[in-house]
Amino acid sequence: MAQHKIDFTKDGGLPVALTTIDNVVNWGRSNSLWALTYGLACCGIEMMASGASRYDFDRFGTIFRASPRQSELMIVAGTLTKKHAEFIKRLYDQMAEPRWVISMGSCANTGGMFNTYATVQGVDRVIPVDLYLPGCAPRPETLQYGVMMLQQRIRKEKANRSLKPKRLM
Amino acid sequence: MQQPNRLRPFFENITFDRDDNELVLNFGPQHPSAHGQLRLMLHLQQEQIVKSHPDIGYLHRGMEKMAENMIYNEFLPTTDRMDYIAASSNNYGFALAVEKLINVEVPRRAKVIRMLLLETNRLMSHLFWLATTALDIGAMTVFLYAFREREYLMDLVEDYCGARLTHSAVRIGGVPLDLPDNFLTDLRKFLDKLPENIKDYEDLLDQNRIWKMRMENVGTISKEMALDWGCSGPMLRASGVNWDIRKEEPYELYDEVDFDVPFSDKGDNYARYKLYMEEMRQSARILYQVIDMYAGTSPELMAHAPKFISPSKIEMMTQNYSLQQHFVLVTQGMRPPVGEVYVPTESPKGELGFYINSQGGPYPYKLKMRAPSFWHTGILTDLLPGHYIPDVVSIIGTTNIVFGEIDR
Ligand code: SF4
């Protein structure tokens, strides 16, 4: 049997690494989750705080973008009202596949404390949600943990998965 | 018939294609510098705005209606979600209005703690304002610096009440907790550093050419205009009206502390920026004085008014009657006398007032909040025409509007 005598890391080694396409693609995808800024209410402030100096979201490769075309993660942070619901659907549709949605805070999860005529009782009635973060408002650590969970999930997925439509609630 | 459970799109009656040269531009509601959910319909003549129409209501959560079905204590956490940058100032405004309605006097230590909370909240709000406005204009460094300082304050408030953003740190009739051990020393440490930090921001911005071009002589509000549109707070003071409710109708301990109210008569964005910086210094000055007041106070935290306010834990655990009273107050709520009050306070953004109409029941018959940002959004109708598109961002930035309290 052939023995591997080449030290790939030294000079003159073969510039080759064995892996699968899935791994490479998912490595790229999970470490550059660009998020669409979707600060709707109070939770949006905590989302900003997690992007700012102390919590520093950039080290996860998560950078906030202002355009749906450049982002693959939508962090819905705040209360969704019926007047706004139309826009969130439109922006979600404008994002390119593959795309993920994190619903941040009780309001986005279930309507939270605002069980009134004006609020949508959970964004999952309008767009499909991948991850729910509890709290009112969730701490920046919660959001970062949520993004890490999402990264783990992405790494397990097939890179060329057929685009099955996600289910609405 | 409209089905209540179906979402219906809300289209305005706007034609975007026109024969003339005018272009209608839709700004928001999901624009990174729209400070939440402001939607502006801008009519443009080339790049100049000729007509602007702010459209609000995208964060309307029905708080005033909710208040009518909640007992007074239950409603207090909802006020956190109005101006969520400085939550305690809303808690305080509401608590003060109810206290006036039921006519109780708050113990002195509670007053001192409230003052500490109010002024730390003002600092937090102004730092946040600086961060976001600088970010909108492109000064990313200032954003990172200002958020760093803000986190220290968040930590302090978290030490006190356990929440970073939505504090609910004030109760009707007092405050729930005494200060934790290191609160005052930590706060003093922070305040000692603050002037240096403010100087850092000013070094970065004051003489910055870009900053000056974006701010100077942009968004000038004249004195008459500010008064006509019902501006208050820094917006009014930057336009040459020296009006601060902390001075005019002092509440809490503001008549005992010594501070200046900065004002300017330039009325442009730059004047407002300088005003916010100066107000931060004044807040620090107030805080120093309030820290010294704390030591000489007796440890009561809640007012004594058995009809309206629950007795202390010790009384509750030792006296049967107090326990019963507490039970009734929690399950049925306090019943303020018939009457109505309006109490204004100076929140970081301006005059925040609560109007309560009580019919003697446990729920308010009507609760109306007078939120400063609402009026500051209205002024955009008159302020924006004549300006260019990039100015819109800096003007919205300096008005310091927060949508939680506009739409409520
Ligand atoms: S969950 Fe709480 S903090 Fe977040 S948007 Fe709703 S009310 Fe605000």
Side-chain angles (χ1 to χ4, degrees):
Chain A
M1 240 213 298
Q3 291 251 311
H4 286 289
K5 288 263 170 64
I6 308 160
D7 187 351
F8 294 116
T9 56
K10 288 268 164 61
D11 266 1
L14 276 177
V16 169
L18 295 181
T19 179
T20 58
I21 299 285
D22 277 3
N23 265 345
V24 175
V25 172
N26 284 339
W27 171 77
R29 269 183 190 164
S30 63
N31 288 320
S32 65
L33 279 175
W34 286 11
L36 176 65
T37 50
Y38 221 100
L40 292 170
C42 347
C43 284
I45 308 297
E46 288 296 64
M47 187 174 76
M48 280 179 77
S50 44
S53 35
R54 185 185 193 178
Y55 295 98
D56 192 14
F57 231 149
D58 296 5
R59 63 203 160 115
F60 294 86
T62 299
I63 300 169
F64 289 106
R65 305 299 303 180
S67 150
R69 307 278 183 206
Q70 301 166 349
S71 46
E72 49 260 312
L73 172 63
M74 184 191 243
I75 301 175
V76 186
T79 322
L80 183 69
T81 57
K82 289 184 182 165
K83 194 172 178 183
H84 196 110
E86 177 212 349
F87 296 95
I88 204 168
K89 177 85 176 92
R90 198 190 290 172
L91 284 173
Y92 178 76
D93 289 343
Q94 283 176 0
M95 283 163 64
E97 287 276 3
R99 55 193 170 185
W100 294 274
V101 177
I102 291 181
S103 143
M104 180 182 178
S106 326
C107 282
N109 296 345
T110 63
M113 69 199 297
F114 299 103
N115 187 1
T116 56
Y117 55 89
T119 38
V120 177
Q121 301 298 304
V123 279
D124 46 12
R125 300 192 175 209
V126 188
I127 53 174
V129 174
D130 292 274
L131 206 70
Y132 299 86
L133 300 180
C136 180
R139 301 175 60 87
E141 290 96 329
T142 318
L143 180 58
Q144 296 188 330
Y145 183 62
V147 169
M148 276 153 71
M149 299 243 293
L150 189 67
Q151 285 181 337
Q152 279 169 11
R153 217 181 90 181
I154 294 170
R155 288 182 196 129
K156 282 193 210 117
E157 272 170 7
K158 281 248 169 290
N160 62 348
R161 69 202 165 112
S162 55
L163 299 177
K164 261 186 270 157
K166 285 180 186 162
R167 252 187 60 231
L168 267 185
M169 198 198 75
Chain B
M1 203 195 89
Q2 183 185 355
Q3 281 182 304
N5 291 327
R6 282 260 317 278
L7 295 176
R8 292 200 323 143
F10 293 82
F11 290 114
E12 271 86 22
N13 231 348
I14 296 163
T15 25
F16 284 87
D17 296 322
R18 295 167 167 244
D19 293 336
D20 52 10
N21 262 339
E22 217 169 275
L23 172 79
V24 183
L25 184 77
N26 177 30
F27 181 100
Q30 193 42 49
H31 186 281
S33 64
H35 276 227
Q37 309 191 24
L38 170 64
R39 183 178 188 192
L40 281 172
M41 307 305 303
L42 301 170
H43 294 238
L44 302 177
Q45 200 68 262
Q46 308 205 322
E47 232 192 279
Q48 201 168 28
I49 296 155
V50 290
K51 194 167 155 232
S52 98
H53 170 69
D55 182 11
I56 61 169
Y58 288 95
L59 193 52
H60 177 64
R61 310 188 262 196
M63 282 189 191
E64 284 174 9
K65 191 70 195 163
M66 278 166 76
E68 292 166 22
N69 297 307
M70 283 179 161
I71 65 175
Y72 288 87
N73 279 321
E74 199 183 355
F75 183 65
L76 196 118
T78 316
T79 56
D80 277 336
R81 279 83 183 163
M82 286 173 60
D83 175 3
Y84 34 75
I85 319 276
S88 293
S89 59
N90 308 320
N91 297 154
Y92 176 73
F94 177 65
L96 191 68
V98 180
E99 277 156 18
K100 201 154 224 186
L101 194 63
I102 60 180
N103 201 7
V104 296
E105 182 65 22
V106 177
R108 189 165 168 90
R109 177 165 291 189
K111 281 189 175 175
V112 171
I113 296 176
R114 283 173 170 200
M115 287 281 285
L116 288 174
L117 285 170
L118 285 178
E119 290 305 316
T120 40
N121 269 272
R122 191 179 309 275
L123 278 176
M124 260 154 72
S125 167
H126 284 5
L127 282 171
F128 185 85
W129 169 83
L130 181 70
T132 47
T133 308
L135 183 68
D136 287 348
I137 292 180
M140 186 94 184
T141 322
V142 179
F143 167 75
L144 294 174
Y145 281 167
F147 253 81
R148 182 189 61 188
E149 263 72 72
R150 188 168 171 268
E151 288 292 335
Y152 286 117
L153 285 171
M154 302 273 265
D155 276 356
L156 272 178
V157 177
E158 195 189 337
D159 272 354
Y160 176 66
C161 65
R164 276 166 55 86
L165 202 67
T166 45
H167 308 148
S168 304
V170 178
R171 295 284 183 278
I172 296 167
V175 288
L177 301 162
D178 208 345
L179 292 179
D181 288 345
N182 286 332
F183 189 90
L184 292 178
T185 37
D186 286 352
L187 182 59
R188 202 186 279 273
K189 249 186 253 161
F190 172 79
L191 292 176
D192 289 343
K193 271 214 315 239
L194 189 69
E196 240 173 83
N197 294 325
I198 297 179
K199 192 166 166 298
D200 275 354
Y201 312 142
E202 287 187 334
D203 285 350
L204 281 168
L205 297 176
D206 263 9
Q207 298 304 324
N208 188 318
R209 251 189 315 151
I210 305 172
W211 182 261
K212 277 184 117 171
M213 274 160 70
R214 297 289 299 270
M215 297 298 241
E216 267 179 342
N217 298 325
V218 173
T220 310
I221 304 175
S222 67
K223 194 171 173 176
E224 291 71 38
M225 197 170 152
L227 289 171
D228 285 353
W229 279 97
C231 290
S232 52
M235 287 280 278
L236 186 62
R237 288 196 286 273
S239 302
V241 186
N242 189 356
W243 175 267
D244 188 323
I245 295 167
R246 291 177 293 174
K247 282 271 189 221
E248 305 296 330
E249 304 170 16
Y251 47 92
E252 224 54 31
L253 300 173
Y254 280 113
D255 43 355
E256 292 178 31
V257 292
D258 194 21
F259 66 101
D260 298 329
V261 180
F263 76 104
S264 143
D265 37 18
K266 291 270 280 301
D268 59 353
N269 281 349
Y270 196 77
R272 262 166 260 151
Y273 151 70
K274 290 305 284 177
L275 202 80
Y276 279 110
M277 304 308 265
E278 191 51 39
E279 282 203 359
M280 278 200 250
R281 293 206 181 90
Q282 295 300 331
S283 280
R285 204 171 136 199
I286 297 175
L287 279 172
Y288 273 127
Q289 297 172 37
V290 179
I291 290 176
D292 293 337
M293 284 180 186
Y294 178 80
T297 52
S298 62
E300 277 103 55
L301 291 175
M302 291 293 273
H304 183 75
K307 241 177 108 191
F308 303 114
I309 292 161
S310 294
S312 70
K313 256 286 180 315
I314 301 171
E315 276 175 48
M316 232 188 280
M317 293 301 175
T318 49
Q319 294 168 25
N320 197 9
Y321 184 65
S322 297
L323 187 63
Q324 287 171 9
Q325 244 172 5
H326 173 67
F327 183 74
V328 170
L329 281 175
V330 167
T331 50
Q332 297 178 7
M334 67 172 86
R335 290 170 191 269
V338 180
E340 50 182 7
V341 285
Y342 173 76
V343 180
T345 55
E346 181 81 18
S347 89
K349 295 180 180 59
E351 176 181 341
L352 173 72
F354 281 84
Y355 165 83
I356 302 175
N357 185 334
S358 157
Q359 301 284 352
Y363 311 122
Y365 179 73
K366 167 78 190 161
L367 188 126
K368 165 94 181 102
M369 304 142 179
R370 189 249 186 237
S373 298
F374 179 80
W375 309 83
H376 299 164
T377 320
I379 202 171
L380 293 177
T381 320
D382 261 9
L383 190 56
L384 291 183
H387 287 93
Y388 294 90
I389 292 274
D391 296 339
V392 174
V393 173
S394 64
I395 290 176
I396 294 175
T398 52
T399 52
N400 196 5
I401 48 183
V402 160
F403 267 74
E405 71 174 9
I406 294 172
D407 298 331
R408 300 187 282 273

